[in-house]
Amino acid sequence: MASSHALSVGAVKAIYAGGTTQEAVLQVLELKKIIPSGQNVPQTERYRMVLSDSRHYQQSMLSTQLNGLVKEQKIQTGCLVRLLEYVVNDVAQKRIIIVLNLEPQTGPLEKIGNPINIEQAQNNQTGPGSKVRDSVSEQPNRVFSSAGPGQTETLPNLPGRFSGENEKHNATVPLSANSANILSNRTQSFHVKSESGPIVKVEPSLGSNLEPVQSIASLNPYQNKWIIKGRVSSRGEIRHYQNAKGEGSVFSFEVMDSTASIKVTAFREIASYLYKLIEIGKVYRISKGVLKPADKRFNKTSFEYEMIADNNTEIVLVEDVGEVPNVVFHFTKIANLENIAAGQFCDVLGIVKDVSELSSVVSRTTGITLAKRTVVLMDDTLKTIRLTLWKDIAENLLSSSEGNPILLCKGVRRGDFNGISLDATIQSCFEVNPDIAEAHELRGWYETTGRYKETSPLEGAASLSLGNVKERKTISQASEEDIPKLVNDPRGVQFIIRGYLHYIRKEGTLWYTASPDDNKKVTKLDENRWVCDATGKEYSYCNYRYILSVAIQDATGSLNANAFDDVGSRLIGRSAEELAAIYERDRAEFDAIIDDVLFKPFIFRIRAKQNTWNDEVRLRYHIVNVEPIHFSSESQLLLKEIKEYSVY
């Protein structure tokens, strides 16, 4: 039978009472896998253990980062383990050890001793219903220390948060009568290292008690009290919504330390205040947040939990003394983006090669008009990728590619709509010409050699929203392969062609006058007076929007299509308002502009759809998107196609 001398006899009792031990060695009496159930709950497996010191045993939970030790069979029933880091919490009226770190000591052994349940043992000593409750959670300012087994070091209380006369040292910003507090104060740091149990960092800061700080990776919903300290690595835009409960707003950001990153989300008034105060790169101390399983549909961190900041949450801005690591970027080379699954998030660093004009689209779900801009990035793999920016970022981040700046993209989503692409989300972060080593290295490469190199789109990448080159078809192929699908798809079908405009109808008009509010047609009453035909509302000005009828041809056939404002501006090269002014001023110039567009090559994305008019089924074509031919990359594509047809 195994000897009991290898175990830390009495350690379970000490841990239960809230004391510390000299890295207790305990035996695993039971190991059981637990999978949570319920809707919208991540199916993350956890392991419950029963730990014994040969006299007493106690329930415990294994932190998920240690699951690998179980799968590798380094932790098994009967083996001895050394506890390196742990916390003790009361869960459902039971005291449980949350094991954050341990070292397996032996393989499976026979059961050592005849241990009894520590809960029952305490009840027998103190009487029913009067368990020993001297845990850390019920004795403020108690921290693990090196004072020795079963002893604690109690730190002195400091004055409460400063306010009034102390504002210059500690500014407390109230969010509401009882909402999250953002504190700005100066701190010092020293470390209290426990010879047993976790290493705890204790920070005396003006206006707050000395309280232990733990790692983000050690957070779990079983803990009652905790404080973390981390650096804000990313923050999203504030988003407004409306539901059955009324209007609201939501804002989220990510905090990281040396162990993990966690997403923090706030709603309504708290979201508005945090949006103004949270800054990327700053260090904050956070406590009293609500922990819940991470919803991986909207959470790009690898941590299994996320945090909700509610009215009780405290967020304290602290001095950056270098303890928390700087933001870490995990850059993916553009050529390697094809190895990332669609929908995953990544960091990309690239040279800005092209920037589209600012355009707008109307959200199908909200009906709100959104600003949109497309940026083409390249890096030293000589591959390019398009990045779509939205809303304020689209308007303010970049307006041109002048100077070919370097763009840092953190947390952008790898898309697959119309081919491989990158999309900005509300949590994506960007920086132009960042001061980091990777950016300086990329700039040096570009200035010395990269500027003169030929680049090509990433294989499978979309070309300014016009899809993978492998998706291109001739007009004849589209008629044979895609048009028959309309019988079973009333929404229509889309295809990509390379062709020419051989006709633009000039009869009638190429544009219409539109309401500034919703682009509905307006009619001119007199000078500076316009009225909406649908609503009767009058305006002092109007917008001009294209409505073109064109004919497209390639070597296999032709088709007639419509094009509206965004596409019309790219085809004509001028806005509808500019062209209307030229039409009134000089018809010859107007005709020359239209004729100049004819027989120039473009890449078109076409949508075909059937509709019924007077019991007659009609086939309609609409130009969804267009871009001019980029001759260097297109020539490479043609050479590749010629080579494939070569006969040896």
Side-chain angles (χ1 to χ4, degrees):
M1 179 177 293
S3 170
S4 63
H5 296 294
L7 296 179
S8 301
V9 179
V12 170
K13 183 176 181 180
I15 293 173
Y16 183 86
T20 60
T21 65
Q22 291 285 340
E23 295 186 349
V25 176
L26 304 174
Q27 185 177 30
V28 179
L29 296 186
E30 183 180 320
L31 182 64
K32 183 177 180 181
K33 181 166 69 173
I34 302 173
I35 299 179
S37 60
Q39 293 183 344
N40 299 324
V41 177
Q43 298 301 299
T44 303
E45 59 184 31
R46 300 185 68 94
Y47 290 91
R48 181 170 61 195
M49 298 188 300
V50 175
L51 298 177
S52 164
D53 64 1
S54 76
R55 289 184 182 175
H56 300 97
Y57 65 82
Q58 186 173 355
Q59 298 282 343
S60 70
M61 292 291 293
L62 192 66
S63 184
T64 55
Q65 65 260 30
L66 302 178
N67 285 358
L69 296 177
V70 179
K71 295 178 180 179
E72 295 170 4
Q73 296 187 340
K74 293 181 179 179
I75 300 177
Q76 300 181 60
T77 300
C79 73
L80 303 188
V81 296
R82 184 185 302 276
L83 299 190
L84 301 179
E85 296 182 54
Y86 63 89
V87 293
V88 181
N89 289 123
D90 292 336
V91 180
Q93 299 183 342
K94 290 185 178 181
R95 188 156 294 186
I96 294 179
I97 304 171
I98 310 298
V99 180
L100 306 176
N101 194 12
L102 58 73
E103 288 181 354
Q105 300 295 300
T106 69
L109 301 174
E110 294 182 8
K111 180 180 176 181
I112 301 175
N114 294 298
I116 62 174
N117 189 321
I118 185 63
E119 296 270 351
Q120 296 177 355
Q122 292 296 333
N123 281 337
N124 292 336
Q125 290 182 13
T126 60
S130 58
K131 299 177 185 178
V132 175
R133 295 301 187 197
D134 59 346
S135 67
V136 174
S137 64
E138 295 183 350
Q139 295 190 19
N141 303 324
R142 172 175 290 184
V143 298
F144 297 115
S145 75
S146 55
Q151 302 179 24
T152 61
E153 177 181 343
T154 302
L155 301 174
N157 289 323
L158 292 181
R161 293 196 186 96
F162 287 103
S163 61
E165 67 272 10
N166 303 97
E167 285 182 359
K168 70 177 183 178
H169 297 293
N170 185 0
T172 300
V173 183
L175 299 185
S176 63
N178 183 30
S179 56
N181 299 306
I182 311 297
L183 304 174
S184 176
N185 52 38
R186 304 178 64 83
T187 66
Q188 300 175 323
S189 296
F190 64 86
H191 300 273
V192 178
K193 180 175 180 180
S194 169
E195 296 300 331
S196 58
I199 297 174
V200 182
K201 288 186 284 186
V202 181
E203 298 184 331
S205 62
L206 293 176
S208 64
N209 291 333
L210 301 183
E211 296 175 293
V213 175
Q214 66 185 73
S215 66
I216 292 176
S218 68
L219 288 179
N220 62 77
Y222 302 102
Q223 295 168 272
N224 298 321
K225 291 187 177 182
W226 49 262
I227 299 175
I228 60 170
K229 187 171 78 168
R231 190 183 305 276
V232 175
S233 59
S234 69
R235 51 164 279 168
E237 294 297 312
I238 193 166
R239 182 168 57 87
H240 302 281
Y241 63 86
Q242 186 171 7
N243 56 27
K245 297 181 180 179
E247 296 182 351
S249 56
V250 59
F251 167 65
S252 60
F253 58 96
E254 292 178 12
V255 178
M256 56 160 283
D257 64 9
S258 60
T259 65
S261 295
I262 188 169
K263 177 183 176 183
V264 183
T265 303
F267 296 90
R268 299 183 180 275
E269 295 86 358
I270 300 175
S272 299
Y273 278 100
L274 291 181
Y275 178 71
K276 298 174 184 177
L277 296 171
I278 293 296
E279 298 182 41
I280 294 178
K282 293 295 182 66
V283 178
Y284 297 85
R285 188 172 65 236
I286 304 176
S287 62
K288 301 180 182 178
V290 179
L291 296 175
K292 53 175 274 189
D295 188 340
K296 292 305 180 182
R297 297 174 300 172
F298 312 107
N299 189 329
K300 65 179 185 290
T301 70
S302 58
F303 194 48
E304 62 182 310
Y305 301 111
E306 59 189 26
M307 188 189 308
I308 303 298
D310 63 9
N311 288 338
N312 298 313
T313 303
E314 292 183 1
I315 301 179
V316 182
L317 175 64
V318 298
E319 184 178 2
D320 185 0
V321 293
E323 289 181 310
V324 181
N326 291 324
V327 179
V328 177
F329 301 103
H330 301 284
F331 292 120
T332 300
K333 293 290 187 181
I334 292 177
N336 296 331
L337 287 173
E338 60 184 359
N339 300 324
I340 296 179
Q344 296 297 309
F345 292 88
C346 58
D347 302 340
V348 173
L349 187 70
I351 298 284
V352 176
K353 188 175 182 182
D354 192 17
V355 178
S356 73
E357 293 295 324
L358 187 67
S359 61
S360 62
V361 297
V362 177
S363 171
R364 294 181 179 178
T365 56
T366 64
I368 298 175
T369 301
L370 305 175
K372 176 185 176 183
R373 195 189 297 273
T374 303
V375 177
V376 177
L377 300 174
M378 64 168 285
D379 65 8
D380 52 9
T381 63
L382 298 179
K383 293 294 183 180
T384 62
I385 192 70
R386 65 178 175 86
L387 164 70
T388 303
L389 306 175
W390 300 94
K391 301 170 66 175
D392 294 343
I393 295 294
E395 294 177 347
N396 303 321
L397 184 65
L398 290 167
S399 58
S400 74
S401 59
E402 183 177 357
N404 299 109
I406 292 177
L407 182 61
L408 186 155
C409 313
K410 181 172 179 58
V412 289
R413 183 170 54 204
R414 194 278 210 190
D416 62 352
F417 181 71
N418 296 336
I420 300 175
S421 62
L422 297 174
D423 294 296
T425 70
I426 59 174
Q427 294 197 25
S428 300
C429 297
F430 303 91
E431 185 175 352
V432 178
N433 293 324
D435 185 15
I436 59 174
E438 294 90 340
H440 296 309
E441 182 179 349
L442 184 60
R443 171 59 66 189
W445 167 83
Y446 182 75
E447 295 298 339
T448 54
T449 60
R451 181 188 298 274
Y452 313 104
K453 298 284 188 178
E454 287 289 336
T455 60
S456 60
L458 182 64
E459 188 74 15
S463 175
L464 284 182
S465 300
L466 289 178
N468 184 347
V469 295
K470 295 179 179 179
E471 296 176 354
R472 291 188 192 173
K473 298 181 178 181
T474 64
I475 293 177
S476 176
Q477 284 177 316
S479 298
E480 296 173 358
E481 299 173 7
D482 294 303
I483 301 306
K485 298 177 184 177
L486 290 174
V487 176
N488 299 318
D489 194 348
R491 298 172 300 176
V493 295
Q494 294 191 22
F495 52 88
I496 302 168
I497 61 172
R498 178 174 57 198
Y500 303 81
L501 291 181
H502 70 88
Y503 171 75
I504 299 177
R505 190 183 69 181
K506 294 190 236 178
E507 297 81 9
T509 181
L510 283 70
W511 55 81
Y512 74 99
T513 49
S515 158
D517 292 336
D518 52 17
N519 294 326
K520 292 181 179 179
K521 187 178 184 302
V522 297
T523 301
K524 187 174 184 180
L525 297 177
D526 52 41
E527 194 66 26
N528 297 327
R529 283 188 66 206
W530 305 80
V531 62
C532 178
D533 297 350
T535 65
K537 184 177 179 180
E538 290 193 12
Y539 300 91
S540 59
Y541 68 97
C542 71
N543 294 331
Y544 289 79
R545 295 180 63 83
Y546 279 115
I547 179 168
L548 304 178
S549 294
V550 302
I552 304 171
Q553 72 174 30
D554 66 5
T556 66
S558 65
L559 56 84
N560 296 321
N562 295 323
F564 297 111
D565 196 57
D566 291 343
V567 171
S569 297
R570 275 174 269 165
L571 285 172
I572 304 299
R574 300 171 185 265
S575 69
E577 185 173 3
E578 290 176 306
L579 192 63
I582 294 172
Y583 179 82
E584 295 294 334
R585 184 181 69 243
D586 188 338
R587 296 293 176 88
E589 183 181 358
F590 168 80
D591 290 337
I593 291 172
I594 297 300
D595 293 342
D596 187 57
V597 180
L598 300 178
F599 300 105
K600 285 186 175 179
F602 291 94
I603 306 297
F604 299 93
R605 176 174 284 275
I606 306 292
R607 180 173 65 235
K609 190 175 182 180
Q610 288 181 339
N611 57 24
T612 303
W613 177 258
N614 290 335
D615 296 327
E616 180 183 353
V617 178
R618 297 182 178 182
L619 180 60
R620 300 288 189 183
Y621 294 98
H622 172 67
I623 304 175
V624 177
N625 209 343
V626 66
E627 73 171 14
I629 294 290
H630 296 284
F631 290 101
S632 59
S633 58
E634 201 69 17
S635 296
Q636 293 179 17
L637 175 62
L638 289 172
L639 289 172
K640 182 179 178 181
E641 291 176 346
I642 291 171
K643 186 176 180 180
E644 290 175 352
Y645 281 102
S646 298
V647 178
Y648 297 96

